[in-house]
């Protein structure tokens, strides 16, 4: 098998250009002053479907053969991947089935259905979503679209970094959230291909530190189901393909607490008027909490998504006096 | 006195280019589907200082003589004008004094002070802020910066529309919030100067309908202090200079209810991940509530600001089940 490279990302960009928003890059002199760096925020929370997941899904779906297109696609996800696949499928006129848990947030189920996908519910306690998705795939011939562990998905997510560098030029460092590793592996591969050196950090919730532990040990480590507010980081282990790329392209994995994440969400909403979900706010959380070993540098940060459930938003803010200052 | 024209706006643009953000234009296929139009949202909520007010303040302050700069500036405002003047003054190395009521939101006072301005407090019940500002001006020689009724302020605000047209090309209609009329008069003048016809609507809270009534009668009408959630529209009468421009450039004033505004704020935050203050959301409110006589048109909407106090945000959302769907 050939190695994953920036050429995969460049090819994906050609295929998905008309399907995804070229999202804006936000800056804030207040953030620069607070962190002592010059910070560029790539706003994938403003992406169609509310996250970067549309990129990978579009990258994969544009490679389906006519026969595969006719049979449709299937995916399992309670979160942004569901919306990404559903939206990409609608754009391309492909039938999509999404396997979602019965206790998924109403808003996410409705958004996914709103994009025209068929929803298949399962009981998180008693049923295995992968088995259900595989059975649907075998019975209908629908193509299973994995959330991250696939070169075509990783390539799509990497287009985020391509756009960021095109917009702002050279950067000293890039901070990328890491769940399964699709976004991080794609973006790190783009960064490594540049002429000037870029230090790439993955940022992870300390309550969901599977990639941190794996990176330290050099082998994929599995953790018990994590209870972090960052719902996009609740995978138990890094992807196999993504982790191979992360190992050779990423400088370090930084950890942030759930309180660091809440503080970053508050800063982004009150000072920058941007709604960012917990997983999407980890890069700013690392900067504000002093977890990034950088000073006077040009730093790119990927805000990976903005799909926040209201109970989470209320918890992050709690509308206390503290949050008013 | 010569008439206000687009040449004032073009000159202002040259002066303020390096001081203001060129804010992004956001689009949403969901919003297009819901409204039956193609909608372009000019995101002044992402402007430095959180609103368009920085444009007018920068436009005025860049015209001060060296002697005036040395004496400083003074303004009265409990809201976005305070932050706009304070920030523009800091950028230009000018001393600013802002007269704010003792009961102004803590967050706005702190933000204004954070930009380096001196705050002079007054009792809203017993003191006259204009008299205080005028006394400061007379005693110190500081130049009074009015919130809207000044060609140089109106010209700065109009640069918002210049950027919007440059970004998206021809539009059939433009929706602009109207408080004192600085933003509306500036933007309408830019729209009227284009080769292709643009219909300009001012949008106002129905609880603060001074411009609506004035527009209908042809004369400036004063209302009693309004209790709308749209705190940027609590002026009692349109400006003298702004109203003359509004009369000859605007097609109509549309009214929206406070509930329409809350619904628009919810849509903008949950679907588009943008925090927009009540005054800034009136254009989207008019579209979603079916108040705009348009179908199949290209419509520009100015989201004028994003400075929301937490009690207002909580009130708009109330974190009910209704808002989760």
């Amino acid at each position: 098998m050939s190695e994953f490279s920036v050429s995969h990302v460049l090819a994906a960009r050609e295929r998905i250009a008309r399907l995804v928003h070229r999202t804006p890059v936000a800056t804030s002199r207040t953030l620069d002053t607070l962190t002592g760096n010059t910070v560029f925020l790539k706003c994938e929370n403003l992406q169609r479907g509310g996250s970067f997941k549309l990129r990978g899904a579009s990258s994969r779906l544009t490679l389906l053969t006519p026969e595969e297109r006719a049979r449709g696609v299937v995916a399992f996800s309670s979160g942004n991947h569901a919306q990404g696949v559903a939206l990409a499928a609608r754009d391309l006129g492909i039938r999509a089935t999404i396997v979602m848990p019965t206790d998924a947030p109403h808003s996410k189920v409705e958004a996914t259905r709103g994009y025209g996908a068929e929803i298949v519910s399962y009981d998180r306690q008693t049923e295995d979503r992968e088995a259900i998705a595989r059975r649907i795939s075998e019975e209908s011939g629908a193509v299973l679209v994995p959330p991250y562990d696939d070169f075509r998905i990783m390539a799509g997510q990497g287009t985020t970094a391509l756009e960021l560098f095109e917009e702002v030029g050279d950067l000293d460092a890039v901070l990328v959230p890491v769940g399964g590793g699709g976004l991080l592996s794609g973006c790190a591969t783009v960064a490594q291909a540049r002429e000037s050196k870029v230090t790439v950090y993955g940022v992870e919730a300390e309550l969901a530190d599977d990639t941190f532990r794996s990176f330290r040990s050099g082998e994929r480590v599995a953790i018990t189901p994590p209870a972090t507010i960052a719902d996009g980081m609740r995978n138990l282990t890094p992807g196999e393909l993504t982790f191979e790329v992360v190992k050779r392209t990423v400088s370090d994995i930084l950890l942030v607490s759930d309180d660091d994440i809440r503080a970053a969400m508050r800063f982004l909403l009150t000072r920058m008027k941007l709604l960012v979900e917990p997983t999407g706010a980890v890069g700013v959380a690392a900067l504000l909490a002093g977890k990034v070993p950088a000073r006077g540098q040009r730093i790119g940060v990927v805000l990976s998504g903005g799909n926040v459930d209201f109970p989470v938003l209320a918890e992050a803010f709690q509308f206390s006096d503290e949050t008013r200052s």
Side-chain angles (χ1 to χ4, degrees), chain A:
Chain A
M1 190 174 60
S2 71
E3 209 169 58
F4 182 70
S5 77
V6 73
S7 62
H8 291 94
V9 184
L10 292 166
R13 198 240 312 251
E14 292 300 311
R15 295 196 305 275
I16 71 174
R18 70 180 182 84
L19 300 169
V20 304
H21 270 330
R22 188 183 172 91
T23 53
V25 174
T27 59
S28 158
R29 297 190 198 183
T30 302
L31 182 59
D32 291 352
T33 302
L34 286 172
T35 65
N37 293 287
T38 305
V39 183
F40 303 92
L41 305 177
K42 177 65 172 167
C43 294
E44 285 299 293
N45 61 321
L46 303 179
Q47 184 55 266
R48 298 180 60 219
S51 87
F52 71 96
K53 290 284 190 181
L54 180 69
R55 296 177 183 270
S58 300
S59 169
R60 176 66 189 93
L61 267 58
T62 49
L63 285 173
L64 294 173
T65 65
E67 292 72 26
E68 288 171 330
R69 282 175 177 248
R71 293 200 300 268
V73 295
V74 59
F76 49 88
S77 165
S78 59
N80 291 334
H81 182 54
Q83 293 179 58
V85 172
L87 186 50
R90 188 185 69 179
D91 286 343
L92 296 165
I94 297 171
R95 199 161 44 85
T97 305
I98 312 289
V99 181
M100 301 185 87
T102 48
D103 61 351
H106 183 62
S107 57
K108 299 209 169 177
V109 177
E110 283 311 301
T112 304
R113 202 193 310 276
Y115 293 137
E118 183 186 344
I119 311 294
V120 171
S121 297
Y122 74 98
D123 185 327
R124 199 196 283 269
Q125 309 302 322
T126 61
E127 295 180 280
D128 175 356
R129 63 182 192 174
E130 292 199 43
I132 296 171
R134 241 180 267 113
R135 196 184 61 229
I136 292 170
S137 173
E138 283 161 16
E139 288 174 5
S140 66
V143 175
L144 185 65
V145 182
Y148 45 80
D149 216 19
D150 182 310
F151 278 10
R152 298 158 290 193
I153 302 286
M154 294 150 68
Q157 320 305 30
T159 62
T160 308
L162 279 184
E163 290 180 7
L164 174 61
F165 284 112
E166 281 172 8
E167 185 97 6
V168 306
D170 287 337
L171 292 169
D172 299 304
V174 176
L175 305 178
V176 185
V178 53
L183 182 64
L184 177 58
S185 59
C187 289
T189 298
V190 168
Q192 207 189 36
R194 291 185 62 82
E195 282 188 18
S196 76
K197 175 163 170 48
V198 189
T199 304
V200 179
Y201 297 102
V203 188
E204 196 169 40
E206 63 187 22
L207 292 172
D209 60 352
D210 54 295
T211 300
F212 174 84
R213 292 191 199 198
S214 303
F215 194 80
R216 287 284 181 278
S217 76
E219 302 285 332
R220 291 163 68 219
V221 171
I223 59 171
T224 52
T228 173
I229 190 177
D231 54 316
M233 296 182 167
R234 293 195 189 136
N235 54 293
L236 305 184
T237 182
E240 194 175 335
L241 301 175
T242 57
F243 186 61
E244 282 307 308
V245 176
V246 166
K247 274 203 292 191
R248 66 175 163 77
T249 57
V250 170
S251 292
D252 204 357
I253 307 295
L254 308 176
L255 295 178
V256 292
S257 72
D258 276 22
D259 277 346
D260 293 338
I261 293 172
R262 290 187 192 94
M265 288 176 69
R266 288 197 296 268
F267 178 87
L268 287 161
L269 189 64
T270 59
R271 300 304 301 243
M272 302 193 66
K273 320 307 172 191
L274 294 169
L275 181 62
V276 179
E277 64 185 79
T279 299
V282 295
V284 171
L287 279 170
L288 290 176
K291 305 280 177 73
V292 184
R295 189 88 197 163
Q297 295 196 349
R298 288 169 56 85
I299 301 183
V301 179
V302 180
L303 306 180
S304 57
N307 293 326
V308 186
D309 287 315
F310 272 98
V312 172
L313 188 61
E315 193 212 323
F317 284 86
Q318 295 181 347
F319 296 104
S320 66
D321 276 346
E322 181 259 328
T323 60
R324 294 187 58 188
S325 63

